[in-house]
Every structure is written in C-alpha cells, then in structure tokens.
Amino acid sequence: MPSPYRALFAAPGSKSFSAAGLLGRMPLSMMGIGVVTMISQLTGRYGLAGALSATIALAAAAMGPQVSRLVDLHGQRRVLRPAALFALTAAGGLLVAAHYGWPDWVLFVCAAGIGCVPSLGAMVRARWAALYGDTPQLHTAYSLESVVDEVCFIFGPIISIGLSTVWFPEAGPLLAGCFLAAGVFWLTAQRATEPRPHPRGQHSGGSALRSAGLQVLVATFVATGTIFGAVDVVTVAFAEEQGHKGAASIVLALYAAGSCLAGIVFGLLRPKGTMEGRWLLGVCAMAVSMIPLLLVGNLPFLAVALFVAGLSIAPTMITTMSLIDQHVPRAKLTEGMTWVGTGLAVGIALGSSVAGWVVDSAGAEAGYGVPAVSGAVAVAVGFLGYRRLSRPVLQRGGSHEHRSEREERHVA
C-alpha cells in the first residue's frame, strides 16, 4: 500500500472498522442482483424480479437517510443493530416466501422492509471524519472508501449471481445477509472509534437536506445515478444483441475497475484549486465520457470506452464527500452522506426504467442516449447550483473536539 494509505491506519482501530465496513457494504451490490437471479430462477418472471429489486432500492432511498439521522442523534451502536436486524428479518421473509411460492404482495412487503438496511459506507466515512477531520488525511481516507465501494461492485454481483446459479437460488441473497450481519455487529462492537452522538439539544433541528449545498449535490447525483442505471441495462442488452450476453459482466467490471484505479491515484494526490471547481470539472468529465458510447459498434470498443468513462467516477465521488463535510454540520454528517446515496439510488432506478423502455422501443445502441442526456442534465444542475456550493456552512462543529475525545478514550 502506498505510504499515504498506510499512514491512515496508524490510528488505533482504523483497520478493524475499515474491514467491517467492507464486509457490511457487500450487500449493496449483492442483494438487488441476487433477488433478480433468485426470482427469475424460481418463477421465470423477470418482470416480478425487476420490480422487487426496484422496491428494495427505492425503500432504501426512502429509509436510509432516516436511519442515518437517528445514528447522528443516538450513536451507531444503538441504531445500527436494530435496523440491521429488521432488514435481515425482512430478507429472511423474502427468501422463505419466494421458496414456498407465497403471494406476490408478501414478496413486496418483505422487499420494502429490506430498505431499512443501514448505509455502512456513510458510517465508516463518519468514523474517518471523526479521526481526521480538517486534515489532508481525510482526502486519502475518502479515496480509500471510494475504492472499497468499487471493489464491492466488481466482486459482489459475480459472487451473488455465481452462488445463486451454481448452488441454489437463494444462496446469493443469503450470503448478502450474512455479510450485512457480520459487518454491522463487528463495526458496532468497536466503541473507541465510534463518533459521539449529537442529541437534539446540541444542534438545530431539521434534516441535513435543508442545506442548500447538499440539495445541489443530491439533485446532481440523481442525474448521475441515472447514468449508472442506464449504462448497466443498456450494456447487458447490447452484449445480448452482439451474441455475447455473458460478456456484459466483464465489460461492467471494467467500468468499475476504471473508477477503482482513478480512486487509488486520486488519493495519492493533493489537488489544488477550489473543491467546488474540481467537483464541477468531475461532473463535466462524467458527462463527456458518455458521448463515445453513442458510437459503439462492438464489445471491445465498448469495454475501452467504459473503462475510460469510469476514470471520472471515483474522483468526483471523493470530492462530493469532502463537499458534504463542508456544507453539512458535523452533527448531521452521516445523514448528509446518506442523502447523496439516496439521490444515486433514485437515479439508478429511474435510469434502469427509462433505458429499458428505450431499448425495447429502439434497440440497445439507441439506449446509450439515456446516459448521454442524463450527463447533460447533471452538468446543467451543477452549473446552476455552483454558487451555492461556494458558500459552505460557517459552523460545522467539532472535528478537533472529536479527536481529543478519541485520544482520551484510547488512553483510558
């Protein structure tokens, strides 16, 4: 590991909570595709499978920020364990209902319950912010976490689909639930690095989404999520039209690999200029990288184009997390990070639906117009909201206070 990344783990407990976060985030990329694979194998109904996956995503988008808001108020341990148990119970109900062929409405109720799953990425980033807030190391820490996200999306779907097709249909979602349980209970057992809660009396009420800067970031990432959702669907359809549907997973893995590589390199740099300027440049780069997809004629060209497109993802996400740290009070940081994930989830669901309709109507190549248009929308929102991003909140609250408290607890 390059020295800036090694230096991160000099803080006591950092290796353990980072590893727990990796385990707990695997379901993010495994559960949805695992449910699709399971339902399609058990029933042959792809429409039902897609609807259940969309229900999980939208439920997580609705409930995730509320869970994170409770975490900011009461602490990770008190909130994450009950939330995870609720989500795991719902996941277990879904597996049983699917296996025994229970009515569809039971499947949808259970799928909605899975949306209570906590955002482990936001929880781990909050711990890094408590350790390294207002220092250059925080940039490296956020870069590391973006790389971890991409690793999950490279390997998670492969593991989930592989288990469900080779072993038994419920194997993929079942393993995703095991990862969630292990990650949450391991993370919450680590009390020394847990950010202290902020009861209502310590800060003004209301949601973190009241921040004007956060509103810009969330709106932009709805459009960005639409890019991701559309690219996934259209790429599978394009590979099928080319007679190599199985190659779609490899092509999409290269998309994530490009982002992973860029995230590693970006974490080693100390970028100059304003943070909001770098963010807008990243959004523009993501939009421009969608243009070559309109010209795809074969899978090798598509693979190269998506790898290059992936290079702009992680740096933009890393800068986004740093901007959240500037525009959201520290007492609402976990909720603020989760709202960006919510914007992405809504966009992915929207992009998948619109792209599927375009593919059915005009073919896969025409489907790449959806991410191109979505990229243009993201740029437009970014430019319109740029002035809001240039005005961070004046009082974010206590990063140094966090570190001194952490040092006292380690000494004790």
Side-chain angles (χ1 to χ4, degrees), residues 236-325:
V236 173
F238 182 79
E240 185 173 13
E241 285 187 1
Q242 297 290 309
H244 301 284
K245 186 176 181 179
S249 60
I250 299 174
V251 174
L252 290 173
L254 286 172
Y255 189 32
S259 177
C260 184
L261 176 63
I264 293 172
V265 174
F266 193 67
L268 300 175
L269 305 176
R270 290 293 177 263
K272 297 181 179 179
T274 64
M275 195 176 299
E276 57 273 12
R278 293 197 303 272
W279 175 82
L280 187 58
L281 180 62
V283 173
C284 291
M286 292 176 66
V288 171
S289 70
M290 293 296 106
I291 296 175
L293 302 184
L294 299 172
L295 309 175
V296 295
N298 54 63
L299 283 174
F301 178 83
L302 176 62
V304 173
L306 283 179
F307 177 81
V308 174
L311 296 175
S312 60
I313 296 175
T316 308
M317 290 297 300
I318 294 162
T319 307
T320 299
M321 293 302 166
S322 298
L323 279 171
I324 293 171
D325 198 45

Side-chain angles (χ1 to χ4, degrees), residues 77-311:
R77 183 184 179 91
R78 290 183 60 188
V79 176
L80 295 189
R81 291 189 172 188
L85 286 173
F86 185 88
L88 290 169
T89 301
L94 179 62
L95 299 187
V96 172
H99 182 80
Y100 289 103
W102 291 357
D104 289 353
W105 68 266
V106 178
L107 300 178
F108 281 101
V109 169
C110 293
I114 297 174
C116 195
V117 60
S119 174
L120 267 289
M123 306 304 157
V124 174
R125 286 181 172 94
R127 292 192 180 221
W128 286 122
L131 286 173
Y132 294 123
D134 301 327
T135 69
Q137 286 92 333
L138 188 59
H139 167 78
T140 307
Y142 284 167
S143 300
L144 174 68
E145 293 307 315
S146 289
V147 171
V148 171
D149 285 339
E150 298 303 337
V151 168
C152 291
F153 276 97
I154 291 172
F155 294 105
I158 297 173
I159 295 171
S160 186
I161 294 172
L163 286 177
S164 291
T165 53
V166 174
W167 199 4
F168 56 91
E170 299 87 354
L174 180 61
L175 182 61
C178 293
F179 277 139
L180 175 64
V184 167
F185 282 85
W186 186 11
L187 180 69
T188 53
Q190 302 172 47
R191 304 299 300 276
T193 55
E194 179 180 350
R196 65 179 180 84
H198 297 78
R200 296 181 190 276
Q202 295 184 12
H203 57 84
S204 57
S207 171
L209 197 57
R210 296 176 65 179
S211 163
L214 183 60
Q215 291 169 9
V216 173
L217 296 174
V218 173
T220 304
F221 272 81
V222 171
T224 302
T226 306
I227 294 175
F228 298 157
V231 166
D232 286 350
V233 170
V234 179
T235 299
V236 173
F238 182 79
E240 185 173 13
E241 285 187 1
Q242 297 290 309
H244 301 284
K245 186 176 181 179
S249 60
I250 299 174
V251 174
L252 290 173
L254 286 172
Y255 189 32
S259 177
C260 184
L261 176 63
I264 293 172
V265 174
F266 193 67
L268 300 175
L269 305 176
R270 290 293 177 263
K272 297 181 179 179
T274 64
M275 195 176 299
E276 57 273 12
R278 293 197 303 272
W279 175 82
L280 187 58
L281 180 62
V283 173
C284 291
M286 292 176 66
V288 171
S289 70
M290 293 296 106
I291 296 175
L293 302 184
L294 299 172
L295 309 175
V296 295
N298 54 63
L299 283 174
F301 178 83
L302 176 62
V304 173
L306 283 179
F307 177 81
V308 174
L311 296 175

Side-chain angles (χ1 to χ4, degrees), residues 328-341:
V328 174
R330 189 59 53 81
K332 302 177 183 179
L333 182 60
T334 310
E335 182 194 351
M337 290 179 176
T338 307
W339 271 115
V340 170

